[in-house]
Amino acid sequence: MSLAVIDAREWQNRFDLETGQPRKSDAPVAEMAAGVLSRHPYPGDVDEQANQWVTDTALDLISHYDPDLVCLSYVQQFFSDRHFNHSETERERLFAAAMAEADRFVELSGFTPVIVGTGNMIPLAGDMDLSGLDGLAVSSNWSARYCGIHHPSPRDMEFLNSLDTLERIVPRQEWIDLFQAAQPDLEILQDPRLMPDFLAVAREGQAFKTMGTTLRKPVHIPANNFQVPVVSPFGPVTDLREIKPLIRAHLSTHKIALILVEGVGESFFPESRYMVQNGVDWFCYEPGDAFYLTLSTGRHQPFAYPAGFRSFDKDADAIKFPFSGYMDAVPGHTLGLNFPGKSIAVGNRSMFMHMAFGVDISIECFARNLFNQGCMAVVHREDK
């Protein structure tokens, strides 16, 4: 039974991660994680100190737990660039500062880093309002390129096909076939009946305005990053899926930190970087759950929470893991799962870390749409 410790600054309580019910635990590792939480209040998603919080929290956790594997995500620059209009000079400073913060962690911790960028951000050129369809259009807070279309009428399809800002409309089975050809053991963990009938794909620079999209209008959105930069001291990689086995192969001889820097493209990486494939054919991963899970599991994961998924039609009484966003089970095949050594994760990308990496202990910000509600620690393993 995994333990969740939520720290809202005015109170700190412990819960069973799966049921959400209060749970007592005085295991030493739970006490230790609670102490780290209390010493590191989260400054907020766009606060200049948000990335420093990642480094300082991770170093504190390392000093008490002595892990062999660390997973980090630095995301302040992504949130700030997505929602606020900065000068080009300021944008450059934000991205460079994220890389500098990752370097600070490496210097102070002594861990061997594998650093992954999610690619460049570009200005929003326009958005497509699909709220007037006869059917239902569903996107998500953090997706710009993809929108699911449910039960479209002939009039809807005629309208969608008339949009020159739309790159393509893909039937559901064609979308699945694309990934099954690239990943024969592809997993579709969600209910296929709640997946959209069609996936609408925006041209680069365009976004959707419809049900599920963020209430905060984006200023910059991810480019079509079909390749993303990676720094690896363990030799070349060509695909995002190769990073997990590369790290696992070297954990017996190295303490390794897998570090994500969101919104950061190749120009901020050293010349020794590798550019690796990020998707299949016309589909590239945006920064978000599918990117994190593909990186962590070494398998394509576009259907962990498919674009346009009707999660609101699930039976609310039967939902498990209420602190874990849309996830209702601990994902398999993740980087830290079944790793015999000690492992931790710290990140400021909302509540991804404890599910995406399967490590022993995770600490993450508990935030929604930039609203800071505190921090959460998850202890999956109390026995190491």
Side-chain angles (χ1 to χ4, degrees):
M1 290 193 300
S2 300
L3 176 75
V5 183
I6 294 179
D7 187 311
R9 305 311 302 155
E10 295 181 352
W11 54 263
Q12 187 181 95
N13 280 327
R14 301 177 188 189
F15 303 89
D16 181 89
L17 183 71
E18 181 173 343
T19 66
Q21 295 300 310
R23 179 190 148 193
K24 294 182 178 178
S25 173
D26 56 1
V29 68
E31 294 293 328
M32 182 273 293
V36 174
L37 269 187
S38 66
R39 290 191 291 275
H40 299 279
Y42 184 56
D45 285 341
V46 296
D47 190 284
E48 288 277 350
Q49 303 302 310
N51 284 342
Q52 181 181 326
W53 174 86
V54 175
T55 298
D56 293 345
T57 305
L59 292 173
D60 196 351
L61 207 48
I62 289 169
S63 71
H64 289 85
Y65 193 63
D66 191 25
D68 305 292
L69 169 66
V70 172
C71 301
L72 303 178
S73 69
Y74 292 97
V75 194
Q76 185 271 343
Q77 69 287 346
F78 173 82
F79 290 131
S80 185
D81 190 52
R82 184 178 174 95
H83 292 294
F84 298 93
N85 203 358
H86 302 292
S87 67
E88 280 305 308
T89 301
E90 178 64 7
R91 294 184 70 219
E92 297 263 328
R93 187 191 69 79
L94 285 170
F95 296 132
M99 295 298 288
E101 193 59 39
D103 289 342
R104 186 171 78 90
F105 169 82
V106 172
E107 182 177 350
L108 292 176
S109 70
F111 275 60
T112 301
V114 174
I115 305 178
V116 181
T118 60
N120 292 317
M121 305 280 285
I122 58 174
L124 176 70
D127 48 30
M128 291 168 275
D129 186 350
L130 302 187
S131 59
L133 298 184
D134 299 325
L136 180 65
V138 183
S139 189
S140 72
N141 274 341
W142 301 110
S143 177
R145 180 167 165 80
Y146 306 111
C147 179
I149 309 294
H150 297 263
H151 310 302
S153 68
R155 187 183 75 93
D156 291 342
M157 295 304 289
E158 183 179 357
F159 170 71
L160 292 169
N161 283 308
S162 72
L163 297 173
D164 58 10
T165 47
L166 204 61
E167 179 184 296
R168 66 186 70 224
I169 305 171
V170 184
R172 176 173 58 197
Q173 192 58 52
E174 185 177 322
W175 182 20
I176 294 172
D177 290 346
L178 176 73
F179 276 92
Q180 278 186 326
Q183 183 83 54
D185 57 351
L186 183 72
E187 295 175 306
I188 301 177
L189 301 177
Q190 300 286 1
D191 186 345
R193 296 170 300 177
L194 302 182
M195 288 177 61
D197 300 297
F198 294 88
L199 182 70
V201 183
R203 292 193 185 280
E204 188 172 45
Q206 299 289 327
F208 294 97
K209 185 165 65 175
T210 188
M211 179 177 171
T213 49
T214 179
L215 297 176
R216 298 177 187 269
K217 187 176 178 66
V219 176
H220 291 91
I221 60 176
N224 289 352
N225 295 301
F226 290 98
Q227 291 190 313
V228 294
V230 174
V231 171
S232 163
F234 303 121
V237 283
T238 61
D239 190 291
L240 198 62
R241 294 173 295 167
E242 297 173 6
I243 295 172
K244 178 201 171 183
L246 186 75
I247 290 175
R248 289 295 293 257
H250 290 85
L251 275 172
S252 60
T253 54
H254 295 75
K255 284 179 175 283
I256 298 176
L258 173 60
I259 301 174
L260 276 85
V261 280
E262 289 202 27
V264 180
E266 63 180 295
S267 64
F268 295 91
F269 277 64
E271 291 185 359
S272 59
R273 65 185 177 271
Y274 302 104
M275 296 302 293
V276 307
Q277 188 174 350
N278 174 41
V280 179
D281 197 7
W282 51 265
F283 189 101
C284 60
Y285 291 108
E286 298 175 290
D289 48 280
F291 186 100
Y292 276 63
L293 284 170
T294 299
L295 172 66
S296 177
T297 64
R299 303 176 178 211
H300 282 302
Q301 296 282 357
F303 303 114
Y305 184 68
F309 187 70
R310 296 201 330 259
S311 59
F312 45 85
D313 277 347
K314 283 187 170 181
D315 182 358
D317 291 336
I319 287 178
K320 296 180 178 179
F321 297 95
F323 306 129
S324 305
Y326 66 84
M327 295 186 185
D328 53 14
V330 177
H333 314 293
T334 50
L335 178 60
L337 202 66
N338 300 326
F339 171 55
K342 291 183 175 181
S343 57
I344 66 165
V346 179
N348 51 359
R349 177 56 125 108
S350 189
M351 295 174 292
F352 277 4
M353 305 302 281
H354 73 277
M355 285 297 203
F357 292 105
V359 296
D360 304 339
I361 306 170
S362 299
I363 291 183
E364 56 205 29
C365 63
F366 199 81
R368 280 288 185 271
N369 260 328
L370 309 188
F371 294 111
N372 184 3
Q373 302 172 60
C375 300
M376 181 169 74
V378 169
V379 180
H380 284 308
R381 297 288 300 267
E382 301 180 18
D383 58 336
K384 288 185 179 177

